[in-house]
Amino acid sequence: MKKLMLGNEAFARGLYEAGCRVVSSYPGTPSTEITEEVAKYDEVYAEWAPNEKVAMETALGASIAGARSFCGMKHVGLNVAADPLYTAAYTGVNGGMVIAVADDQGMHSSQNEQDSRHHAIASKVPMLEPSDSGECKEFVRTAFELSEQFDAPFIVRMSTRVAHSQSIVDIEDRQELELKPYEKNPQKFVMMPAYAKGRHVFVEERTKKLIEFAETTSLNRVEISDKAEFGVITNGAAYQYVKEALGDKASVLKLGMVNPLPVKLIQDFAAKYEKVYVIEELDGIIEEHCRNIGVNNVQGKEIFGYIGELPQSVIAEKLLGEKKDCICLDENIPMRPPVMCPGCPHRGLFYCLSKNKITVSGDIGCYTLGAVAPLFAVDTTICMGASISGLHGFNKARGSETEHKTVAVIGDSTFMHSGMTGLVNIAYNNSNSTVIILDNSITGMTGHQQNPTTGKNLKGDPAAAVNLEELCRAIGIKRVRVVDPYHLAETEKAIKEELAADEASVIISRRPCALLKYVKHNPPVKVTTDKCVGCKMCMKLGCPAISMRDGKAVIDHTQCVGCGICQEQCKVGAIN
Amino acid sequence: METKSVMIVGVGGQGSLLASRLLGNVLLAQGYDVKVSEVHGMSQRGGSVVTYVKYGDKVYSPVIEKGEADAVISFELLEAARCLPYLKKGGHLITSTQQIDPMPVITGAAEYPTEIVDKIKAKGADIIAVDALSLAEQAGTAKASNVVLMGVLASRMDYPEELWQKALEQCVPPKFLELNKKAFELGKAAK
């Protein structure tokens, strides 16, 4: 049966069809839907882990136990999971193990634009890269077979365009597999120096075999055009752009296996043409490989650069000098940046921080939007968990000068991911830091995933819930309090008191995400135009439902969810 | 058949994902190779949202770039203006007349342009402007503007009615199906 599927959905189908039994992941755009979709198959055990390191170790444990296993993450998540990855390369697998890493060329939803192929090369873990949904499914099935054949975990590299584009997939049945027997084998699975030395020899031998395999596998494909004026070597999403832009003007070597790369296949292809272009998004990994193997008639990064996506227009313009005409209006079109939703519980909290000119060490989540106009509340955003540890360092550097006017903000899911170790550091190494946990009872940014604080698991079934207050106290923080960010005065008072205190404190700003289905909304509020004095106090909240018309505030009833913070903010009682 | 490109644009939360999936399913049932590209995550939080639907004998790139769209469907007027450059010469622009102020307008840093429809017409583009929000409210909820606009598109594409009905059944939860069918009909009947 043919079906239109997102790349991530097709990936999940591939896991199901390949007989995968155990899945453990941490959400991250653009990888999240793989795990959400595979969780819909009852034959597969699937879970959200607190972070990517835990997820990968869980998947490796399942593989050692004899099951086909999977873990999925975004590119920066692989940094968190790098520790188990580099040693899983040595242990290899028992049941096949597949890792998805989703890169975000163009940074649609990420804090950097790293190229995860570097991790595959550095860890010596083989990596496949599909170009559409059909290949997502096929490559996952192949990756499991190869994982068992070569005794290696396999990474399947995704990108935003492949993960979030739907294309046609042929659905097949699931392959039911028995668990492989588990046998104690310390030489393979206990990675202490004496045994790891032996495994390193194995890894190097394996890589040689994988290079031989890369020369002939159908994962790598040559498409010869009789009319070709030049050759192109490409991979992943870029393959689609190459075909669209160049059609039969180029012969193409499409590399579906991006680590390790073939040698002879590339040499033979490049020898056919005077000019060969390497068209790969982000870093010049294939191009450098070409030069390393003596293929010098290639050009790539000097033409295409290292930044962002390489869609068809870029290729057509750079290689063919073609540019499409388009119609433009003469005037400036205002930008429409993402904003916190109407009723977002983070808004009231950030308003209080902004109003009191507090320095804010930020983190990764919807609340990163607190950095933009009109709140401009956030000073730093680095990576998951860095708000808390960064604040500790900031305060250690500047001491009492900043302790009373600097806070960290971090979401509930991010706190569980890697924030709590930073809080342990604050307690253990004694900095007078104030940490605000934005507990909206869900992982918001990635589209509502459960986490260890929500009381539900990935399948929506009841689960143990971490009690944040007790956890913070157990870590050694004595001052722990909870506020409702819909109440501005109460929230502001708590922030001021905890900043004034002479010891570390945690404020839990608690209110479920306004987009959660179970959250009941109040009726929209309205402005009584006669009473409105046009002072714009309500506008300072940065609520997208409020705007000014003819000097008076108006509230869009289709957007307003009646959170009421503008009502509290209005000093003349014009909002009801 | 040469690849055709339809761009669906709007503001996060307006339901462009549903619209693109609806169209994708109709085109799949019609026997085309189809690609539908979405943007998730950060872009959904009230920001501009763009989805691409491409179909033909063989579709390669999932994205649509400037000067490539045979049709642009916009759920909001400013987004129609923003995406005008994507329209191919001779392409059609279908837009809702709904206006949603973006944050720079709300904060007073920018002004919402006036007379957008006339200005687009003056550039020689074919534009169809429909009050999709009112029609959706007439069908039962403002949220169905997306399906109203799909109805407008359907009235200008020559595909069998039952394909659209089947796609609606596939893409819309049963309890909202009747409402959405009504919204679709109102869109089809709109001028």
Side-chain angles (χ1 to χ4, degrees), chain A residues 2-4 6 9 29 33 108-109 131-132 160-162 164-168 223 237 239-241 243-244 309 311-314 324-341 347 365-366 368-369 373-374 444-448 515 536 539 542-549 556-559, chain B residues 3 10-12 17 20-21 24-25 28 32-48 52 54 58-68 76 78-79 81-82 84-89 98-108 110-114 116 119-120 123-125 133 137 142:
Chain A
K2 286 194 191 309
K3 213 182 151 198
L4 206 50
L6 275 182
E9 198 183 347
T29 313
E33 299 83 4
H108 298 277
S109 215
S131 296
D132 62 21
T160 295
R161 294 303 181 188
V162 172
H164 286 166
S165 293
Q166 299 181 53
S167 54
I168 297 170
E223 298 175 6
Y239 164 78
Q240 306 290 358
Y241 306 138
K243 294 296 282 187
E244 176 120 354
E309 301 177 279
Q312 60 267 21
S313 67
V314 174
K324 290 224 160 67
D325 292 335
C326 63
I327 322 164
C328 279
L329 290 186
D330 304 320
E331 65 196 286
N332 195 24
I333 309 291
M335 296 288 290
R336 189 184 299 276
V339 290
M340 283 185 264
C341 306
R347 177 173 289 107
C366 290
T368 310
L369 293 170
M445 184 86 260
T446 44
H448 286 179
L515 299 182
K536 297 189 180 173
M539 301 293 293
C543 176
I546 313 176
S547 54
M548 297 295 287
R549 291 264 191 274
D556 177 355
H557 71 282
T558 63
Q559 292 198 65
Chain B
T3 299
V11 177
L17 286 191
S20 62
R21 287 179 179 192
N25 274 295
L28 179 68
Y32 294 117
D33 185 24
V34 182
K35 282 190 177 165
V36 179
S37 189
E38 313 169 345
V39 175
H40 299 206
M42 193 59 119
S43 314
Q44 279 180 292
R45 302 288 174 274
S48 301
Y52 310 115
K54 295 175 76 164
K58 173 74 190 160
V59 180
Y60 288 107
S61 168
V63 303
I64 299 171
E65 296 189 85
K66 286 183 178 166
E68 291 184 350
E76 201 275 345
L78 185 64
E79 297 312 306
R82 190 189 315 284
L84 183 63
Y86 287 84
L87 203 62
K88 187 186 268 183
K89 278 219 165 113
Q98 190 182 357
Q99 298 191 13
I100 300 173
D101 285 351
M103 199 45 72
V105 171
I106 289 175
T107 60
E111 289 204 6
Y112 198 106
T114 54
I116 288 174
K119 285 173 187 164
I120 291 175
K123 288 283 174 188
L133 185 62
E137 281 175 341

Side-chain angles (χ1 to χ4, degrees), chain A residues 60 93 126 149 157 219 230 265 292 306 384 401 411 474 576:
Chain A
L60 181 59
V93 302
Q149 182 187 335
R157 182 190 187 217
L219 293 162
F230 51 83
L265 181 66
N292 288 342
Y306 298 84
M384 300 275 287
E401 180 200 336
N576 294 108

Side-chain angles (χ1 to χ4, degrees), chain A residues 207-220:
Chain A
T207 300
K208 279 186 201 158
K209 286 181 192 155
L210 281 162
I211 294 171
E212 280 170 35
F213 173 79
E215 304 289 359
T216 54
T217 173
S218 59
L219 293 162
N220 298 330

Side-chain angles (χ1 to χ4, degrees), chain A residues 269-277 291 294-299:
Chain A
F269 178 77
K272 289 190 176 77
Y273 301 93
E274 192 186 333
K275 269 191 182 170
V276 174
Y277 298 100
R291 297 194 205 287
V295 173
N296 289 315
N297 58 333
V298 291
Q299 274 184 296

Side-chain angles (χ1 to χ4, degrees), chain A residues 289-554:
Chain A
H289 172 75
C290 288
R291 297 194 205 287
N292 288 342
I293 59 170
V295 173
N296 289 315
N297 58 333
V298 291
Q299 274 184 296
K301 289 297 148 190
E302 59 179 288
I303 301 172
F304 295 103
Y306 298 84
I307 299 168
E309 301 177 279
L310 298 175
Q312 60 267 21
S313 67
V314 174
I315 296 168
E317 192 179 341
K318 302 271 188 196
L319 297 188
L320 309 175
E322 291 173 1
K323 210 174 170 185
K324 290 224 160 67
D325 292 335
C326 63
I327 322 164
C328 279
L329 290 186
D330 304 320
E331 65 196 286
N332 195 24
I333 309 291
M335 296 288 290
R336 189 184 299 276
V339 290
M340 283 185 264
C341 306
C344 177
H346 304 324
R347 177 173 289 107
L349 190 273
F350 278 116
Y351 174 71
C352 295
L353 295 173
S354 175
K355 183 183 166 194
N356 290 285
K357 299 190 169 50
I358 290 162
T359 302
V360 176
S361 179
D363 222 297
I364 306 287
C366 290
Y367 47 90
T368 310
L369 293 170
V372 299
L375 294 164
F376 295 118
V378 176
D379 288 67
T380 61
T381 299
I382 315 294
C383 64
M384 300 275 287
S387 59
I388 299 182
S389 16
L391 172 69
H392 174 74
F394 199 86
N395 285 340
K396 283 292 176 193
R398 302 190 79 98
S400 59
E401 180 200 336
T402 56
E403 282 168 357
H404 300 293
K405 46 186 179 188
T406 308
V407 300
V409 293
I410 185 165
D412 46 337
S413 184
T414 310
F415 182 72
M416 295 313 301
H417 176 282
S418 48
M420 59 182 179
T421 42
L423 191 64
V424 169
N425 199 34
I426 285 176
Y428 173 52
N429 288 312
N430 192 27
S431 69
N432 179 12
S433 296
T434 302
V435 172
I436 303 176
I437 302 174
L438 304 165
D439 179 10
N440 65 350
S441 311
I442 204 74
T443 312
M445 184 86 260
T446 44
H448 286 179
Q449 288 73 37
Q450 304 296 340
N451 69 54
T453 70
T454 64
K456 282 189 180 160
N457 64 22
L458 167 57
K459 301 234 179 194
D461 297 326
V466 170
N467 181 315
L468 286 172
E469 296 90 310
E470 284 180 28
L471 174 62
C472 294
R473 287 193 191 100
I475 282 171
I477 308 295
K478 296 189 190 75
R479 299 182 66 98
V480 179
R481 65 197 280 183
V482 179
V483 296
D484 178 353
Y486 274 6
H487 297 297
L488 297 178
E490 174 199 334
T491 303
E492 188 171 1
K493 182 167 174 275
I495 293 168
K496 283 182 172 168
E497 285 174 5
E498 295 314 318
L499 278 171
D502 281 322
E503 61 178 312
S505 49
V506 170
I507 301 171
I508 299 167
S509 174
R510 180 169 288 148
R511 170 65 76 164
C513 172
L515 299 182
L516 282 168
K517 287 208 170 73
Y518 68 79
V519 171
K520 295 274 174 277
H521 294 305
N522 294 322
V525 295
K526 278 189 196 137
V527 179
T528 310
T529 310
D530 296 346
K531 285 192 187 170
C532 177
V533 295
C535 68
K536 297 189 180 173
M537 281 300 284
C538 55
M539 301 293 293
K540 291 188 176 173
L541 296 168
C543 176
I546 313 176
S547 54
M548 297 295 287
R549 291 264 191 274
D550 305 323
K552 307 271 186 180
V554 285

